[in-house]
Structures are given as C-alpha cells and as structure tokens.
Amino acid sequence: MQSFISDTLDSILKTTKSFEDVEFILPSQRAGVFVKQALKNKITTGFLPRISNIGNFIEDVSGMKKADSVQLLFYFYSIYKKEENNPDTFDVFSSWAFTVLQDFNEIDQHLINAREIFVYLRDIHRLRKWSVSGTFQETELMKDHFAFMEKLHKLYTIFYEFLITEKKGYQGVIYRESVKCIDEFISKNTKKKFFFIGFNALNAAEEFLFQRMLEAENTEVYWDIDQTFYESNHQAGSFIRKYKTRWNYYQKNPIQTVATHFSAPKNIQIIGASKNITQIKYAGELLSKFSSHNNTALVLADESLLPITLNSLPENVDAINITMGYPLKDVPTTSLLLTIFQLFINQEKLQKKEHHLFYYKDVVALLKHPAIYQLLQIEEHNIADSVSQVIVASNTTFVNQERIAEFFAQIPLETKNVILPLFNPFTTVDDFLSRILNLIIVLKEVANELEKEYLYRFYTAFIQLQNLHDTFNYIQDLKTLQQFFKQLIQSESLSFQGEPLQGLQLMGVLETRVLDFENVIITSVNEGVLPGNNQQNSFIPFDVKIEFGLPTYKEKDALFSYHFFRLLQRAKNIYILYNTEHDVFGSGEKSRFVTQLEMMRNDVKEEIISPKITTTVPQQKEIAKNEEVLEKLRELAKKGISPSALTNYLYNPIAFYKQKILKIKEFDDVEETVAANTMGTVVHDTLEALYKPFEGKFISVEIITKMQQKTKELIVFYFSEHFKNGDISTGKNRLIFEVANRFVINFLKQEKELLKDDSNQLKIIATEQTLATQITIDGFDFPIKIHGQVDRIDELNGVTRIIDYKTGKVDALNLKVLDFNVLPELKYHKAIQVMLYTYLYTQHTNHDFTKPLEAGIISFKNLKNGFLKMNFSANYKNPDNQITEEKLEAFMDEIKEMLKDLYNPETSFIEPTDLKY
C-alpha cells in the first residue's frame, strides 16, 4: 500500500535533494514520526528537515506561547474583577467563562472584527428589550444578562491586550498575531523552504497564512484528497474545492496530490452491534483473526470506550501503540481524592462543620480505599477494619477526629502524621492542598510503577493549583477547589508510551490525520458520535455565526466527513461498527457517513451481530447432609429450635443451613434509618415494660391510663437502647419513632375500650415468657428441644389467650387452618409460630383442656380487627377458635413430619425455585 506520506515524499524528492533549510508542517505532532520514518527509508545521507505541527509553526510566527485553559481562566478573572463593580464569585465566573473564552478563540481564529460582532450582539439584545409601549418587564436575571452582553467587547479588548503583553494566550490570539507577523517572518526566512502536508479544514487565519506563504514562492501545500470527493459535490471535499476557487494561487496552479485510491477494490463490512461492549468485543475478535497488526488501526470514534477496549484486546496483539491518553478520571487515585473532598463537602452539607463531625460512610470509604488501607495494615490486623467495627457496634452516624485518632496509635508516626491531618478541620485552601501533596508523597513509597505514573500526574496538577492559588488567591472554599479538580481530571489524561511504528495503532479519529493503514476497524460510527451532535456551547447565536462567517455544526460535520472518508481512501480491509441500541449510550442510528458510503459503492457488505448466548439450565442450590452437618443438627436439637427457625427452614432450607449450621450472621452495618426489626423490638420492649409489673393481676381502666402517661418516655428509652447513637429527632427516623409511639398508644386505647365494659375481666398471666419442652420422634435416638418466647399470655373472661405481637401486617386468613397438611405453605407460617407457642404453654403448665384456650396475633398494622384468633372452621359465621388437645396433637404430628424431613440424612437442603422474597 502506497501511503499519502510516501506519495508526498516521492513528489518532494523530485525537486528537493537537501533538507537542511526545509520545514515540514503537519496537522499533528504524531504524523511527524511516520514522516521521519518514511523519509529515512527514502534518503541515505543528509539532514532531516525540521518537522513541526501547525501549533508550533504559528507560535514561531507570532512569537507567543500557548497557555493552558486553567491558567487563562485565572488571568481572565483578574481582568473581569477590575472591570466589574459587583463581580461574580470565582466558582460562578468559571461556570460561564470557559464558554466566553471559547467564543473569543473562535472569533480570533477566523479573524472576525471583534468590535463589529460584539456591537451586533449588543444591538440584538437591545432590540429584545425594546417595546412599542415602553413597558418591557425586565427580571433581575435578564438585567444581568443584558449588562453582561454590553460589557463583552470591553472584556475582550482588555484581555486581548493583556495576553499580547504576556506573550502567551489561547490559540486564537496566537493565530491573529501570526497573521500580523507573517510578512516579517517570510522576509526573515527567504532561504527556507516550507511544505504544508495533509491539511484540509483551515480557519480564516490559516487560510491567510497559507496564501501569503504560497505567494512568497518558498512554500508548497500537499492536500490529502481523493478525486471521488474533490471532483463531486461531496461534503468531504468542500473545503479544498473552496480553496481551489477562492485562492489566487490556485487560479494559476493545480491542487497537489489529488489521488484516485478510493475507487479501488476494497473489503468493506458494516456491522451493527447491540451495545458498546458488543462492538468492542467484536473488534477484538476481528483483530484475533489478523496474523500481523503492523498495518492495522483500531479507531475509536467514542474515545471514552478506551478502558473497555484495553480489556478486550486479543492475546495475539503483542505490540500496541495508543495515541489517546487514559482518562485521569478513571484511575484509582481520582476516587481517593474525591473521597477526601467528599469528607468535608458532606460535613458542611449535613451541618456538622461546627462540631468537626464526619459522616461515617465518608470516613469508612476513605480508610478502606485500597491506597489508604494498605498504609493502615499492621501485621495481620488492619486499623481501617477496627474503626469500621467500632462505628457499627456503637451505631455512630457521625464520627469525630479524636475517635479515629484512638486507633492510630499503632501505625508508624510518618504515616499517622499524613493520614490523621486529613481529618483536621478545613481552614485554608493552601493547607488543604498541602495535605493532599503530603499524602501523595507517602503513597508513592508503597506504589507500584504504574501507580507512580498517575501519582506523579496528580502531584503536578496539585502543584499547579497551589501555584495559581498562591498567585491569585481566587479559590476561597473547598467547593470551588473540588469543581476545579473535577474540571482538571475531565480534560487531563495519562499518556501511554509505545513504539509508534510497530504493532496495532489504537487511536481517536483526529489522530488518524495524514496516516494510512491497510486494515481499519472503526467503532461507534453512530449519529451523534460521528459526526457529533449539533449542540454548541456559545454566547453567539447560530444566525450571527452565519452572518460573520464563523463555523457552525455544518462545518464540523464536513470536517468529520473528511476525516472518515480520508481514512478509507487507501485502506483495503475496512470494518465499520455501530451501536444498534437506542439507549443512553447512543441513538442506535448508524452514521449518515455509512449511508453515503453504501450509496457510493456496491461492494459494501452489511450484517447485524449479537453476543454469543450460552443457555444454562438454572440449577437449584443443593447441599447434602454429611456427618458434620448431621452432628450440627443434633447439637441444634439439644440447644433448641425456635418456631421462627422452623418456619425459616420451611421457607428456604439453604438460608436455614447458612444461619444454623454454618452460623453465618448477616453483615452488621450502621443503622441510619430505623430498621423494621428495630422498631418491632422497641414496641415489644415497651409493652413488656408496661405490663410486666401486672403479671398475675387483673387490669383496669385506671391502670391503662397510667400506662398511657409512661408510653412516650419508654419508647424514647428503648429507641436509645436499640438505635444507640441514631438520631430520631428529624427525617424518616422521626416518622418511624412517631409510628412506634402511635402503635403503642392505639393498642392501649383499644385495651381501654375493652375494659370500659365492666363485664370484661382481663388478667395478665405472663409477658415475654420463655418456654421450652422436649419432644420425641419415632425412630430418633435423641429428643428435640423446642423453645420460644411468648409475647403475652392472658386470661379474658375465663379464656386463656396465647398472644403474639406483630408490627407488620397480618390478616385473619393467615390464621385460618382447616387442614394441618397445608402448614408448610408460606401464608400459614405465622399460624405455625402461634400454635407452637400454644403447645409450649400447654406443656409448661400441664394445661387442663377443660378450660377454654385460644391463640392468635395482634397485628399493629391491623389493629381495627383486634385479636386475630386461630380459626379451624370454614364457616365464617361460626368460627371455631378453640384449641383442643386433639387439634394440638394433630398439629404436632405435622410438626414432627417437618422435623423428620429436617433430620433425614437422605434429604438435602434445597433452595426453592419460587422464593417470594
């Protein structure tokens, strides 16, 4: 394959033999490496020409240097503050200043008369204020905007003059100045020869410079264009056709190097793939089929997919050169630094700054970040785990520095002096930046080679912020600093080191300029990506841009059209991938460039691919009972099985196995919002405290009245016991506290209504009574203990009642059992618990079944239905609530069958396929 660079050099070598006073100017620095390599293969001895990019060239012509965007922002704010009576704060200013600087840059690059365009904009806004009646209603926001537009030209002029004095600025200033200096530059370099290679879309300043250089007759321009686009009305050739018709030089001279490669036979495949990940994985599959990658480019139209791509390259890619940087926002150190910022941002947000308290999640996130966690390791023990455990044990939502410092006694002083100050109260930005820099220095000592690379990049970024802050002192608070840090990591990236002339080339679309490859894979060729969407952040409206000849999205589309089709000109194997899904990652519409390509050629193959799907039959979790498991079950039989443990086994045997055999507990965490079980415990404990003193006694209306007076005090006390340091004064927790309080109040109110009828006699027999008994099962050589705690046992008008409190919703149907064979069903699990409590009570008291016995539930979410009783009758008019000895025996026969299943060595623990929760 004869590349554009090779063709161009062959043409240059026909007339130029010595390169001592020759300069090649290219669109990008990267193309220079390929030019050097190609030239080295074509000449045997002599000097290489000077090879520079267009940015270096205009700096040479103008005598100015390009300033970075953050530095420019600080300079611009200095100017703005002097000119504005009531200036915005720096963080507000930075939110609009970047857009203004972008507009300034565009105006200068295209040599627009700044005064004219700003006066034009000002007049547009004055017209908007004008009304025939003179009663235009102006809001404060509109006043601010109109005032801003009035001052825009003044700000531009003063800032421009300042940058000229400083000899550095944004690219537009350098272009405008280079136009002023070009004649002087040409006169100083009459003996030099200049070659502009591979350009296409030029701004007005570049057009002027190119024409002046061509007229000086010491310059040649080599355009990279194909006849297919140049001689038709195709968008990709629009710029060069314009130069041909408008430039005086081309009235007499032909356009150099118009090629005819696009019409040659090619293997072109257009592949639609669902989701970005499928595109990238398929690109990896294509690469795996190539025997060599030396003349292959993988082009990412969406550069944010680089991290996925790096993890999807096949094993046969042994050499790779990556021309785009790895985003700084994706490296682990970014999450660490954002966590440190979050520590103080949340402190202020949650109004804990005055007391120097930190939100526990932020503290744990910082201490358990891999970089910090590594520093806190002492032999087999880690300080971060200790801090986390204590926070959970004490249910501490907010932690102070002193509490953390208590744990740091064991770690080396050098480390302690860096980590502990991270929790110091925020005082100044300078102090905060010093903390970060000190931390980076310590992390460097334990970092691997790769980690050192990005730690160094962060170190230089924070040094830059510190220097700018020391010079200007505009950043006064942490929020602004965080905003700047985020802005910095969004635009910055880590450069890869590689051999640019070997192996696979992984690049962005702009990096492909001037370069040619035999095999090209382009991903994300979707509308909205290539070309991008037509949204442009600017204070200059679309119609004003057209009026003054500023580029709009149309020119941007034409530029990307050129880049896309230029990349295909000399390629032989072309694979174009696009995302077919309409989702947040893309429109699902293939690029218009693909449609154009299909219309231009008849050798395009198209297909839709999807990921390979391997269907696997979901297997139920199954754990067989070996001797160890059976031994644990025997231990459990001795220790005791509770009604809730038995229903847990019926619901999910695997969960039972984890809890009772493996003894795996749920992970403890800080309870910020009161959990349902915590609220249930508080209600149970409160009722126990109220009724316990009256065990064995009859309850009266007067007693209930006294109970009502103690309710709130007890609720508060038990919340402090079970919710520990949690705050119940505000938010959701306050609502849950009020609900718990209302549950108890409503319950006591119902009791009172019951006792107002003098015929009702209520005697409390026991509250929260722990009962146990042993049962023997045929075929078992050991008894099984059943134990449980009954919430309340009372006697109402001679009927003994076994009562279980439930803070959740229970319906009467849950306790309606006509046949004990249905008990294993989930809806009857509460009935199992109530009946087992009843069985335990009858065994404990040797109950005389001639006395009436009932059992049931009081549901606090269903209080209006009162005491929900066990019911053994299908006739809703005549319920059967009596628990007889025969019914209990039939019930226990069913329970024994369940226990036989539990202890059967042949029955495995199997997870049900239809788990509801």
Side-chain angles (χ1 to χ4, degrees):
M1 180 194 72
Q2 185 76 349
S3 69
F4 166 71
I5 289 172
S6 188
D7 284 343
T8 303
L9 291 178
D10 287 343
S11 180
I12 291 169
L13 283 166
K14 287 175 186 174
T15 56
T16 310
K17 302 301 177 189
S18 171
F19 291 97
E20 191 174 345
D21 288 315
V22 172
E23 183 170 355
F24 288 177
I25 296 118
L26 300 152
S28 69
Q29 193 68 42
R30 139 157 225 82
V33 179
F34 287 83
V35 170
K36 277 182 190 173
Q37 178 67 17
L39 194 56
K40 192 174 73 174
N41 295 335
K42 290 179 186 291
I43 58 172
T44 50
T45 57
F47 289 99
L48 279 173
R50 184 187 178 202
I51 297 173
S52 57
N53 63 24
I54 189 67
N56 301 140
F57 176 72
I58 62 163
E59 284 182 6
D60 290 345
V61 175
S62 65
M64 295 181 72
K65 291 287 176 191
K66 191 170 184 290
D68 69 65
S69 57
V70 175
Q71 200 175 21
L72 279 170
L73 197 68
F74 279 83
Y75 286 146
F76 190 30
Y77 191 60
S78 304
I79 303 296
Y80 167 76
K81 273 185 82 176
K82 286 176 187 172
E83 296 305 314
E84 188 66 51
N85 294 328
N86 298 307
D88 289 340
T89 57
F90 188 59
D91 58 323
V92 174
F93 165 82
S94 61
S95 66
W96 57 260
F98 276 112
T99 306
V100 169
L101 288 173
Q102 194 175 297
D103 286 339
F104 287 177
N105 185 46
E106 214 165 56
I107 286 165
D108 287 332
Q109 279 188 351
H110 290 272
L111 305 179
I112 306 299
N113 184 314
R115 187 180 182 282
E116 282 183 16
I117 194 167
F118 286 126
V119 167
Y120 193 92
L121 278 170
R122 183 202 67 191
D123 291 346
I124 287 171
H125 285 83
R126 284 183 179 178
L127 278 169
R128 285 179 182 164
K129 287 202 292 182
W130 181 84
S131 70
V132 177
S133 62
T135 56
F136 178 73
Q137 294 297 314
E138 218 177 354
T139 65
E140 284 302 313
L141 186 65
M142 291 165 77
K143 276 182 189 174
D144 284 349
H145 183 65
F146 290 144
F148 167 71
M149 296 309 291
E150 295 277 343
K151 290 175 184 172
L152 212 47
H153 179 240
K154 193 177 181 184
L155 286 172
Y156 166 83
T157 307
I158 297 167
F159 188 45
Y160 191 98
E161 288 168 359
F162 169 81
L163 293 175
I164 299 300
T165 310
E166 291 288 318
K167 290 271 181 204
K168 59 182 168 186
Y170 52 85
Q171 204 171 38
V173 173
I174 303 171
Y175 267 115
R176 202 186 273 272
E177 287 304 301
S178 65
V179 165
K180 294 176 186 175
C181 304
I182 188 63
D183 290 335
E184 185 187 346
F185 178 82
I186 290 169
S187 64
K188 284 181 181 176
N189 292 279
T190 50
K191 292 181 181 177
K192 281 189 79 172
K193 182 81 174 171
F194 296 91
F195 293 94
F196 291 89
I197 299 168
F199 286 87
N200 174 50
L202 305 178
N203 59 45
E206 286 170 338
E207 282 194 55
F208 182 88
L209 293 172
F210 277 42
Q211 289 182 76
R212 293 293 296 119
M213 295 287 285
L214 284 168
E215 286 162 11
E217 296 184 350
N218 65 343
T219 298
E220 288 184 39
V221 180
Y222 286 85
W223 307 98
D224 186 4
I225 189 72
D226 195 279
Q227 194 175 20
T228 307
F229 311 112
Y230 176 62
E231 294 181 359
S232 67
N233 197 30
H234 198 283
Q235 198 178 26
S238 59
F239 294 104
I240 296 173
R241 286 197 301 274
K242 182 178 80 170
Y243 309 147
K244 172 65 180 167
T245 54
R246 293 187 187 176
W247 290 9
N248 290 333
Y249 178 82
Y250 286 126
Q251 303 305 313
K252 306 167 191 172
N253 299 287
I255 289 276
Q256 296 274 37
T257 56
V258 176
T260 55
H261 298 289
F262 184 76
S263 54
K266 299 178 189 297
N267 166 32
I268 303 175
Q269 293 184 35
I270 295 165
I271 301 139
S274 60
K275 306 284 184 185
N276 287 332
I277 190 76
T278 312
Q279 286 185 75
I280 301 301
K281 292 294 179 188
Y282 188 72
E285 276 189 35
L286 290 171
L287 288 170
S288 67
K289 293 171 186 173
F290 295 168
S291 56
S292 168
H293 300 100
N294 273 351
N295 209 352
T296 303
L298 173 55
V299 181
L300 304 183
D302 181 357
E303 294 188 15
S304 68
L305 298 180
L306 175 63
I308 303 172
T309 307
L310 293 176
N311 288 306
S312 305
L313 295 173
E315 288 182 8
N316 68 330
V317 176
D318 52 355
I320 181 170
N321 184 55
I322 304 166
T323 65
M324 63 191 88
Y326 193 86
L328 215 54
K329 63 183 176 64
D330 290 335
V331 303
T333 307
T334 300
S335 64
L336 170 62
L337 297 172
L338 287 173
T339 302
I340 296 169
F341 276 110
Q342 204 59 37
L343 202 65
F344 293 93
I345 299 289
N346 274 348
Q347 186 188 56
E348 194 165 328
K349 185 180 171 184
L350 299 169
Q351 299 174 354
K352 300 295 177 182
K353 191 174 179 180
E354 190 182 334
H355 305 290
H356 308 308
L357 293 169
F358 297 102
Y359 184 43
Y360 83 97
K361 279 187 179 176
D362 296 334
V363 173
V364 172
L366 176 56
L367 297 181
K368 288 204 171 182
H369 187 280
I372 301 292
Y373 194 81
Q374 187 180 0
L375 294 174
L376 298 177
Q377 187 70 33
I378 306 293
E379 295 172 358
E380 298 298 312
H381 171 66
N382 198 289
I383 304 300
D385 292 330
S386 300
V387 175
S388 181
Q389 285 161 11
V390 168
I391 287 171
V392 170
S394 58
N395 204 47
T396 306
T397 311
F398 295 96
V399 191
N400 59 27
Q401 188 184 13
E402 289 73 26
R403 195 69 187 270
I404 299 162
E406 290 170 14
F407 292 91
F408 278 40
Q410 302 168 38
I411 65 170
L413 194 64
E414 185 186 349
T415 307
K416 187 199 298 186
N417 290 343
V418 169
I419 297 178
L420 262 184
L422 292 175
F423 297 95
N424 285 346
F426 175 78
T427 50
T428 64
V429 168
D430 208 44
D431 168 61
F432 187 82
L433 289 170
S434 298
R435 291 182 208 175
I436 301 288
L437 290 167
N438 290 337
L439 176 65
I440 291 172
I441 291 166
V442 169
L443 292 175
K444 171 179 72 82
E445 299 305 318
V446 293
N448 60 37
E449 291 305 310
L450 178 61
E451 288 167 343
K452 280 178 182 171
E453 283 288 337
Y454 47 74
L455 283 171
Y456 174 73
R457 186 65 197 86
F458 279 110
Y459 188 79
T460 55
F462 276 98
I463 287 286
Q464 182 192 14
L465 276 174
Q466 197 173 47
N467 290 339
L468 287 167
H469 176 67
D470 291 343
T471 307
F472 296 97
N473 198 31
Y474 291 153
I475 302 175
Q476 297 299 332
D477 58 65
L478 206 59
K479 201 171 180 183
T480 310
L481 183 65
Q482 186 196 35
Q483 183 180 323
F484 252 93
F485 173 68
K486 283 183 175 177
Q487 219 156 26
L488 208 65
I489 60 170
Q490 286 295 335
S491 57
E492 293 290 327
S493 57
L494 280 168
S495 299
F496 287 93
Q497 289 182 348
E499 173 49 61
L501 303 167
Q502 283 181 10
L504 174 69
Q505 301 291 321
L506 180 52
M507 44 200 352
V509 174
L510 289 176
E511 293 296 338
T512 63
R513 288 175 294 184
V514 190
L515 307 180
D516 294 297
F517 303 95
E518 200 165 291
N519 309 308
V520 174
I521 303 169
I522 317 174
T523 64
S524 304
V525 188
N526 282 79
E527 278 297 308
V529 180
L530 189 73
N533 58 48
N534 57 20
Q535 293 175 343
Q536 289 180 304
N537 287 331
S538 176
F539 285 105
I540 305 170
F542 180 77
D543 52 343
V544 177
K545 286 192 173 190
I546 291 173
E547 175 68 24
F548 282 87
L550 283 170
T552 63
Y553 68 87
K554 292 180 179 179
E555 283 74 20
K556 187 181 170 188
D557 287 359
L559 172 62
F560 276 99
S561 174
Y562 169 79
H563 289 316
F564 176 77
F565 286 103
R566 194 217 66 78
L567 185 58
L568 310 185
Q569 280 173 203
R570 293 172 175 80
K572 291 181 181 174
N573 299 302
I574 299 160
Y575 303 91
I576 297 166
L577 291 97
Y578 67 95
N579 181 9
T580 58
E581 291 298 305
H582 292 265
D583 56 19
V584 291
F585 299 111
S587 64
E589 184 183 349
K590 65 185 175 188
S591 170
R592 70 191 79 161
F593 300 158
V594 176
T595 309
Q596 288 169 19
L597 181 65
E598 288 171 330
M599 293 174 73
M600 292 167 76
R601 302 184 65 101
N602 55 15
D603 58 351
V604 177
K605 298 171 192 167
E606 189 165 5
E607 65 174 315
I608 302 292
I609 60 153
S610 56
K612 294 187 182 83
I613 297 169
T614 53
T615 54
T616 53
V617 179
Q619 290 186 336
Q620 292 171 288
K621 287 181 187 173
E622 183 173 351
I623 297 159
K625 293 171 186 167
N626 58 21
E627 193 50 47
E628 273 186 281
V629 172
L630 292 168
E631 182 56 38
K632 292 281 185 187
L633 284 170
R634 281 192 284 270
E635 285 176 23
L636 185 64
K638 192 175 180 182
K639 188 180 175 184
I641 298 172
S642 66
S644 58
L646 184 59
T647 53
N648 186 20
Y649 169 71
L650 294 173
Y651 175 65
N652 184 358
I654 293 291
F656 176 89
Y657 170 77
K658 287 176 182 176
Q659 288 175 10
K660 298 298 180 182
I661 309 301
L662 299 183
K663 310 286 187 193
I664 296 174
K665 291 183 179 178
E666 282 190 27
F667 175 71
D668 288 329
D669 198 1
V670 172
E671 199 179 324
E672 288 180 76
T673 303
V674 180
N677 60 339
T678 303
M679 186 182 79
T681 306
V682 169
V683 171
H684 276 70
D685 287 359
T686 302
L687 290 173
E688 183 189 6
L690 290 170
Y691 282 92
K692 197 80 174 171
F694 301 99
E695 284 185 341
K697 298 177 183 175
F698 284 94
I699 300 293
S700 64
V701 171
E702 290 74 23
I703 290 171
I704 299 293
T705 304
K706 286 176 183 176
M707 286 182 183
Q708 287 174 322
Q709 292 163 2
K710 297 178 186 177
T711 300
K712 192 160 188 176
E713 180 189 336
L714 285 168
I715 292 277
V716 170
F717 172 75
Y718 285 113
F719 261 112
S720 67
E721 284 280 300
H722 299 293
F723 195 46
K724 294 184 181 166
N725 295 307
D727 181 13
I728 56 167
S729 60
T730 58
K732 282 185 183 178
N733 291 341
R734 177 57 186 266
L735 293 174
I736 293 166
F737 166 79
E738 293 295 345
V739 167
N741 191 35
R742 191 65 56 86
F743 276 173
V744 178
I745 287 170
N746 288 347
F747 176 74
L748 293 175
K749 188 179 174 183
Q750 197 176 61
E751 293 271 87
K752 206 172 189 179
E753 289 298 318
L754 178 76
L755 294 170
K756 278 181 181 176
D757 184 345
D758 293 336
S759 63
N760 289 329
Q761 298 290 308
L762 178 64
K763 181 182 180 183
I764 302 297
I765 297 170
T767 59
E768 300 295 334
Q769 186 175 22
T770 302
L771 303 172
T773 189
Q774 287 189 330
I775 59 173
T776 55
I777 300 174
D778 293 342
F780 282 33
D781 57 358
F782 55 89
I784 296 175
K785 181 181 176 184
I786 304 288
H787 67 93
Q789 193 174 51
V790 185
D791 291 336
R792 168 166 154 174
I793 304 165
D794 66 19
E795 189 180 291
L796 179 64
N797 301 329
V799 179
T800 304
R801 302 190 305 175
I802 312 298
I803 299 172
D804 192 24
Y805 297 140
K806 296 288 184 192
T807 46
K809 179 79 181 281
V810 180
D811 196 271
L813 288 171
N814 298 127
L815 301 174
K816 188 173 183 177
V817 181
L818 307 179
D819 182 354
F820 290 122
N821 290 329
V822 301
L823 286 175
E825 290 178 30
L826 176 62
K827 67 182 284 189
Y828 298 113
H829 286 186
K830 288 180 178 63
I832 290 176
Q833 292 180 12
V834 171
M835 289 294 285
L836 270 175
Y837 289 138
T838 309
Y839 176 75
L840 288 171
Y841 170 75
T842 59
Q843 293 295 304
H844 179 75
T845 58
N846 289 318
H847 181 71
D848 179 3
F849 281 94
T850 56
K851 294 178 180 177
L853 177 64
E854 292 177 350
I857 288 172
I858 291 177
S859 168
F860 291 96
K861 279 192 179 176
N862 191 12
L863 264 180
K864 65 179 187 296
N865 289 329
F867 178 49
L868 305 170
K869 304 174 187 179
M870 285 298 302
N871 181 12
F872 307 100
S873 169
N875 188 334
Y876 71 94
K877 288 185 179 178
N878 295 303
D880 176 9
N881 304 125
Q882 283 291 324
I883 296 177
T884 62
E885 192 170 6
E886 293 75 27
K887 286 173 186 169
L888 261 185
E889 275 182 21
F891 167 74
M892 286 310 295
D893 286 343
E894 187 59 37
I895 294 295
K896 285 175 182 178
E897 288 303 314
M898 295 174 193
L899 291 171
K900 279 181 185 176
D901 183 69
L902 173 59
Y903 280 87
N904 184 353
E906 303 303 317
T907 309
S908 300
F909 292 106
I910 300 173
E911 186 173 56
T913 52
D914 57 345
L915 282 178
K916 190 174 180 183
Y917 305 109

